[in-house]
């Protein structure tokens, strides 16, 4: 069976391309870091890939709203190709700045499979500042999202200044009813954060941390699964190791729950290739 | 069309009224906290002024598709009717880097498919709408000038509700640079030393008077004059003298450290001549150690030092300061500093990928209420530098996992902003060692990255210039991480294709330094200055040559590689320009439109310029009247401990740490904040820079300038010892690999009866500090991979009567340490782990409270400064390494500022578990008081906790070493200390200690 090809966008101030590609490699994909211009110039062809990743970073410095200019550039130069890519049942993942770009492109929420409308936004954190912290996340098992299949909760780092998920009530209602709300900020005990800072780090409406389109094949989230690519990325790993030692167990380097998101994507493609 | 007048358009954008305006709310709160001005509401409006020829359709398109988020924002080409009592407009002065302005141009050119003309541009600015009962013009102007804008780089206007015209709004303010100047080269007469001196002063050349005769001698030599005549030159040109001035500056040449010191120990009445501190205390020890340490790859010549990480990778490190610019414009200075230091690893060897940065801020007290009027209040200054490094690091995609803040009055005169950068590179690039680089005659001189303006010319001396509407305020800069990130990605791709023969960064001195120094490798260059891309026309040749415009690298590329190099440059949207050729003529040859304007022998700089000389007078602390305070022992230890924990230099600064992305690149192993609450500071940080390897890179820094009040020798040795212990505490191996970086920040050491009466003492402190650096680095076997010095950390501050006061910084050394960790899964953190674990104190606690936090708390300095005794400490450090290797430690934490009491508390706070300790069990030397055991800052000590099952094996490792079991971790979350008289002197809930520790800055985030 041919390898799953993941395209990882790079350039223009994006900065999570290396570790995102690494995460996909660990999940068994062939990941290629591709400069936005190489895609636009046609040096690299989008149709050669089954997964497209919009990675974290500060595209164009995020100067006019996070992800806005990246969205404009891709829409202007690649609009049709992106639509084809989606229509062909392929996967799109947007992490942090990538999520911000997807909502500005209109690929999310993609109500009624209209992938051109900006109806949700990621705006400035209520705390008024960029924030780096680990958060607890609750996964909506009823969501069609491919990437979070068989997951119920996880911890990931967030690192953003514009992560507050916002939209009008009817849109939020629509998202909820169609189970497009995929992950929400929660308390360590698994209950929703209910806007409590720092569990909900940015004031997102309904603690929303990530959403998908109606097909579940386009997924955007603020937290960084690629930054949990190794057990030692977890803030408590030295404590976990000590606890294991006391039980006579060894601390093993096994795939993290962060990698599961990439694994689900790769498995989905491999299975549909069969 | 060319001559048609451009009608500018102004778009105002703001959040929908029902959305929370976090930026506005932040300003509202600061107005209250900082000035006691109560505002009911602040709303922010973003203003985009479009100075370009656009049709209405085009304007509509960019309004809706680029500048307005339909979900959150509204916008209008007319002033937005946002309510206010007063509104403040803040915009940049001409020539100040407007990063959002340039990205807006990129976006618009893309979406409109049209290029902007040379006279077309976009300028961004902001309008703040303030509401508040009885808000006055004075209040509004104070908020504008002391919170929102800095007159060095920004201009502002305030409007009251009544004098606001809803049609014209702020009007059209176009901060375009117009110089209307024909570039001219001026020939400088050198008929006498005094003439040249005078011109040097007039032009801010800052030529050292002692250099002037040598410079004149060169230009007066017959054969020099003859060869110069052939290219049409006679006396030196301004650009030539600027080149010499740059190359001879203390910044580029380290004249102070290479100086001759007459070191007079007054007590011993002994005079020594110390010739060249750099050679004797830094270069020689490092070269000696390089012989013994095979992991040292490249030191003492390149932009940064290089050490081996593993067989296939090297790591790169350097650090510097950006003090004066940050002191003038905190945000701009700091962001320029961090973005600038990142260019050094990029320009080391054939170029390295950035993997982390760190910060160190030394400022006056945040709540200073005294009479001195620094240009920026310490609080505002600190806010600014924090934000500058935040944006510079985060937007570069480089983690900033470590940093320090130190408050002291001495930094009111000038703050310190330390920035440190680490990179990694493959050991081999195209089968050539990546750390090596060379230039052959015929290689092309290429300038990559940003364009050149009047930025940073003559540094801050230009600050005294008066501003006119269109003169560029470029001397204080704003770094542009976005432009540099693009260049970083491009250069790494070019490196991996083997296209880079040589690379160095453009920092201080601009092209003059980068090209001038590169040219030494091929022994000559021909530069065509007119090829250098400019931000705006009208720069003189000498200005183009020495401008410090940021985000530029100078690269040597073989002619056959040029095509590919430029292709890659284009792909990454980076500007690269061939500005000349390297030669082997021995000459620095610069022309402008084919007319020669500089023609100098490169070896001029190595031709006997006089060494700087200093008188250094040392008087031992006791002879200077320092003594131990007469302080009887306290009773209320609980309040005392809480008060010490709440002191600014001890307390939590989580609000800063969390603003910095410390996990980008996915390499984080040991984070800056650890423990169950993820809120207590780690001793050091560890990265996994090569994602598919389990090797780690550990990094730490230390800074204890207070000890300089007693003796800079011990300040230095204790600082190095702390940095080393910080590494060991997370699992670094003391015997295998410790690398160091020294960053000196010193007040002026040149004696002057009027202006620097204690200059001789400060010079002696520098000599002693350098000797400690040499002694400890040799004893601990730490090669100095890199280092920098920044002298003249003094300031003259106006007081309340119009008088001014000279305020000098403490003699300060920041020491950075690195280590390579073979197996990151053996790393440990400082937080207590399990109830029942045994708590040990390693090392000896002596009567060493001189310069301690405890004494400072009472306003004392004291005399008994802590001392480092390598022969006693090293065996403990080695033993700890063995214990780490055997994985028998549950936690390890060094004992630093604040002493045993503070650091036991932090260990307990980290685990949110209780602790019981008995001070009677602590290994002491000549200490018989609880307060001294708790707060002595003796070096060489650790707190470790272990599983009781490991007691025997642990104690065997530390047999015959100072290692005492002082207590245990408990489930009941109380911190209980039994005094030497076996009475309980402290028994408090651990969370009450944590509350006290977090109290001072708890409202900041």
């Amino acid at each position: 069976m041919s390898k799953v090809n993941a395209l990882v966008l790079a350039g223009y101030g994006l900065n999570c391309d290396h570790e995102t590609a690494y995460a996909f490699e660990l999940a068994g994909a062939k990941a290629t870091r591709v400069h936005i211009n190489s895609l636009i110039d046609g040096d690299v062809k989008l149709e050669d890939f089954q997964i497209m990743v919009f990675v974290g970073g500060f595209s164009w410095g995020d100067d006019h709203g996070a992800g806005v200019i990246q969205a404009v550039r891709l829409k202007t130069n690649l609009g049709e190709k992106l639509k084809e890519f989606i229509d062909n049942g392929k996967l799109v993942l947007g992490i942090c700045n990538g999520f911000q770009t997807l909502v500005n492109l209109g690929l999310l929420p993609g109500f009624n499979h209209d992938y051109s409308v900006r109806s949700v936004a990621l705006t400035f954190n209520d705390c008024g500042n960029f924030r780096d912290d680990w958060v607890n996340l609750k996964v909506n098992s009823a969501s069609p999202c491919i990437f979070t299949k068989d997951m119920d909760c996880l911890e990931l780092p967030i690192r953003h200044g514009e992560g507050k998920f916002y939209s009008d009530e009817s849109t939020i209602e629509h998202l909820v009813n169609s189970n497009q709300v995929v992950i929400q900020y929660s308390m360590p005990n698994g209950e929703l954060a209910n806007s409590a800072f720092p569990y909900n780090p940015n004031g997102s409406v309904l603690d929303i941390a990530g959403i998908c389109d109606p097909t579940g094949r386009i997924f955007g989230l603020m937290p960084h699964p690629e930054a949990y690519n190794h057990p030692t990325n977890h803030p408590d790993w030295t404590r976990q190791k000590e606890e294991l030692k006391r039980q006579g167990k060894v601390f093993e380097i096994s795939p993290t729950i962060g990698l599961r998101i990439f694994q689900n994507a790769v498995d989905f493609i491999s299975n549909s290739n069969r | 069309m060319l001559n048609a007048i451009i009608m500018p358009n102004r778009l105002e954008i703001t959040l929908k009224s029902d959305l929370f305006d976090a930026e506005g709310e932040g300003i509202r709160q600061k107005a209250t906290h900082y000035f006691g001005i109560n505002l009911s509401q602040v709303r922010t409006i973003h203003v985009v002024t479009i100075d370009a020829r656009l049709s209405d359709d085009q304007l509509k398109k960019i309004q809706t598709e680029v500048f307005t988020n339909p979900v959150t924002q509204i916008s209008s080409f007319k002033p937005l009717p946002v309510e206010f009592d007063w509104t403040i407009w803040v915009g940049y002065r001409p020539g100040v880097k407007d990063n959002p302005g340039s990205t807006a141009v990129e976006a618009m050119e893309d979406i409109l498919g049209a290029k902007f003309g040379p006279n077309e541009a976009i300028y961004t600015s902001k309008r703040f709408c303030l509401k508040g009962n009885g808000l006055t013009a004075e209040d509004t102007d104070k908020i504008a000038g002391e919170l929102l804008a800095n007159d060095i780089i920004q201009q502002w206007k305030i409007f009251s509700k009544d004098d606001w015209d809803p049609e014209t709004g702020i009007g059209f303010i176009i901060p375009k640079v117009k110089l209307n100047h024909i570039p001219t080269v001026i020939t400088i007469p050198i008929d006498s030393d005094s003439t040249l001196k005078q011109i040097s002063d007039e032009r801010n050349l800052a030529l050292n008077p002692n250099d002037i005769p040598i410079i004149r001698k060169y230009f007066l030599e017959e054969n020099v004059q003859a060869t110069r005549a052939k290219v049409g030159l006679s006396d030196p040109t301004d650009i030539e003298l600027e080149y010499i001035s740059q190359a001879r500056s203390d910044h580029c040449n380290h004249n102070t450290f290479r100086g001759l010191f007459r070191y007079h120990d007054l007590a011993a009445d002994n005079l020594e001549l110390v010739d060249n501190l750099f050679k004797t205390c830094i270069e020689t020890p490092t070269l000696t150690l390089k012989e013994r340490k095979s992991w040292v790859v490249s030191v003492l010549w390149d932009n940064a030092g290089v050490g081996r990480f593993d067989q296939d990778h090297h790591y790169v490190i350097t650090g510097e300061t950006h003090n004066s610019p940050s002191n003038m414009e905190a945000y701009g200075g700091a962001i320029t500093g961090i973005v600038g230091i990142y260019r050094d690893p990029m320009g080391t060897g054939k170029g390295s990928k950035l993997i982390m940065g760190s910060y160190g801020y030394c400022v006056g007290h945040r709540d200073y209420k005294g009479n001195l009027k620094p240009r920026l209040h310490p609080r505002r200054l600190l806010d600014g530098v924090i934000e500058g490094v935040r944006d510079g690091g985060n937007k570069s995609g480089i983690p900033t996992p470590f940093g320090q803040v130190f408050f002291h009055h001495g930094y009111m005169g000038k703050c310190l902003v330390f920035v440190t950068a680490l990179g990694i590179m493959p050991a081999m690039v195209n089968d050539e060692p990546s750390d090596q680089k060379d230039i052959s005659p015929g290689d092309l001189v290429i300038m990559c990255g940003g364009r050149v303006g009047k930025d940073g010319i003559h540094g801050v001396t230009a600050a005294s210039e008066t501003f006119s509407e269109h003169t560029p305020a470029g001397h204080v800069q704003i770094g542009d991480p976005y432009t540099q990130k693009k260049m970083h990605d491009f250069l790494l791709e070019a490196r991996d294709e083997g296209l880079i023969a040589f690379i160095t960064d453009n920092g201080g001195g601009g092209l003059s330094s980068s090209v001038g120094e590169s040219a030494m490798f091929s022994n000559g260059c021909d530069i065509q200055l007119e090829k250098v891309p400019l931000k705006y026309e009208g720069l003189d040749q000498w200005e183009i040559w020495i401008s410090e415009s940021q985000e530029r690298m100078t690269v040597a590329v073989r002619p056959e590689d040029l095509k590919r190099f430029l292709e890659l440059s284009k792909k990454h949207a980076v500007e690269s320009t061939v500005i000349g050729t390297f030669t082997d003529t021995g000459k620095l040859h610069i022309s402008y439109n084919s007319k020669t304007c500089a023609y100098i022998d490169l070896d001029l700089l190595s031709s006997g310029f006089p060494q700087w000389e200093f008188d250094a007078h040392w008087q031992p602390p006791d002879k200077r009247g320092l003594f131990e305070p007469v302080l009887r022992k306290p009773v209320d230890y609980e309040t005392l401990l809480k008060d010490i924990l709440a002191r600014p230099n001890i307390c939590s600064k989580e609000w800063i740490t969390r603003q910095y992305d410390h996990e980008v690149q996915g390499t984080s192993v040991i984070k800056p904040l650890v423990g169950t609450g993820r809120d207590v500071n780690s001793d050091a940080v560890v990265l996994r820079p090569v994602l598919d390897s389990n090797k780690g890179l550990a990094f730490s820094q230390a800074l204890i300038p207070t000890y300089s009040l007693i003796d800079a020798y011990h300040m230095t040795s204790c600082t190095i010892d702390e940095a080393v212990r910080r590494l060991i505490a997370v699992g670094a191996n003391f015997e295998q690999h410790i690398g160091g970086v020294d960053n000196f920040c010193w007040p002026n050491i040149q004696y002057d009866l009027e202006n620097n009466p204690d200059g001789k003492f400060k010079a002696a402190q520098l000599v002693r500090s350098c000797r400690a650096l040499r002694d400890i680095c040799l004893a601990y076997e730490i090669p100095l991979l890199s280092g920098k010095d920044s002298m003249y950390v003094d300031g003259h501050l106006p007081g309340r009567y119009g008088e001014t006061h000279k305020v000098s910084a403490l003699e300060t050394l920041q020491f950075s340490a690195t280590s390579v960790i073979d197996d990151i899964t053996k790393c440990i953190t400082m937080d207590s782990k399990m109830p029942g674990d045994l708590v040990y104190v390693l090392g000896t606690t002596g009567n060493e409270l001189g310069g301690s936090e405890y004494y400072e708390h009472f306003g004392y300095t004291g005399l008994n400064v802590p001392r480092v005794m390598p022969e006693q400490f090293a065996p403990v450090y080695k033993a700890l390494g063995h214990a780490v290797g055997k994985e028998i430690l549950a936690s390890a934490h060094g004992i630093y500022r604040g002493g045993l009491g503070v650091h036991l508390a932090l260990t307990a706070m980290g685990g949110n578990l209780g602790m019981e300790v008995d001070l009677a069990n602590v290994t002491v030397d000549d200490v018989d008081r609880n307060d001294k055991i708790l707060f002595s800052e003796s070096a060489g000590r650790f707190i470790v906790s272990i599983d009781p099952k490991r007691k025997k094996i642990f104690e065997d490792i530390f047999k015959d070493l100072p290692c005492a079991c002082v207590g245990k971790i408990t489930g009941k979350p109380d911190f209980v200390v039994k005094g030497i008289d076996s009475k309980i002197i402290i028994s408090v809930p651990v969370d009450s200690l944590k509350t006290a520790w977090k109290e001072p800055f708890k409202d900041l985030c």
Side-chain angles (χ1 to χ4, degrees), chain B residues 584-621:
Chain B
D584 56 4
T585 60
K587 304 274 192 216
L588 173 80
H589 184 193
I590 307 172
S591 63
Y592 186 84
N593 293 334
S594 36
K595 190 175 183 315
T596 296
C597 45
Y599 195 69
I600 293 190
D601 293 274
L602 283 167
D603 58 17
L604 162 64
L605 295 172
S606 49
S607 62
F609 279 95
Q611 188 180 26
W612 289 18
E613 298 188 11
F614 304 93
D615 284 312
H617 286 186
W618 175 247
Q619 190 69 280

Side-chain angles (χ1 to χ4, degrees), chain B residues 259-463:
Chain B
L260 179 71
F261 290 77
R262 286 178 290 271
Y263 181 80
H264 192 174
D265 186 328
L266 300 170
D269 192 20
N270 173 35
L271 178 69
E272 285 174 81
L273 284 187
V274 181
D275 183 358
N276 197 327
L277 291 168
F278 176 76
K279 241 188 184 47
T280 54
C281 296
I282 294 171
E283 189 175 48
T284 312
T286 295
L287 291 176
T288 316
L289 291 167
K290 187 175 189 294
E291 292 309 306
R292 282 190 252 150
K293 305 263 169 192
S294 60
W295 61 264
V296 181
V297 175
S298 163
V299 283
L300 297 163
W301 69 277
D302 208 342
N303 289 312
V306 183
R308 183 182 301 111
F309 178 70
D310 64 22
Q311 282 310 316
D312 306 323
H313 301 87
H314 299 328
Y315 74 90
V316 175
I317 182 168
T318 187
E320 67 183 17
T321 53
H322 218 233
N323 307 336
S324 302
S326 305
N327 205 60
M328 305 278 299
E329 210 302 293
Y331 179 87
I335 191 173
T336 306
I338 188 79
V339 173
I341 194 68
Y342 284 150
R343 284 194 300 277
D344 281 312
M346 284 166 68
T348 297
K350 294 187 179 71
S352 69
K353 172 177 187 282
L354 273 299
I355 56 170
M356 81 161 266
S358 82
Y359 60 92
Y361 310 138
C362 297
V363 296
H365 287 284
R366 199 170 178 280
D367 57 358
Y368 177 75
K369 291 192 184 65
N371 292 320
L372 297 181
K373 295 266 172 293
R375 177 173 169 77
L376 303 172
H377 185 283
R379 180 181 52 210
R380 182 184 184 188
L381 193 150
L382 182 59
D383 287 351
V385 295
I386 290 168
E387 288 162 18
V389 170
R390 176 196 69 201
D391 290 355
N394 294 359
K395 291 192 171 191
S396 299
I398 301 161
T400 310
F402 197 92
Q404 311 176 89
V405 180
F406 186 79
F407 300 96
H408 187 277
H409 180 80
Y411 303 106
M412 291 272 288
K414 197 188 274 182
C415 68
L416 305 183
V417 174
F418 294 93
V419 285
T420 305
L422 286 84
I424 194 146
M425 57 189 183
M428 303 293 283
V429 170
N430 267 25
D431 309 325
E432 291 174 5
S434 59
D435 59 293
Q436 291 163 32
K437 52 185 168 187
D438 203 3
I439 303 178
S440 319
D443 290 352
L444 302 166
V445 184
I446 296 183
M447 187 182 101
C448 298
R451 293 182 150 236
V452 172
K454 285 187 174 242
D455 313 338
I457 288 173
H458 290 159
V460 289
T461 56

Side-chain angles (χ1 to χ4, degrees), chain B residues 696-712:
Chain B
L697 187 64
F699 175 86
S700 75
Q701 287 178 316
L703 186 75
I704 336 172
T706 319
Y707 296 167
S708 292
L709 291 170
I710 299 173
D711 187 342

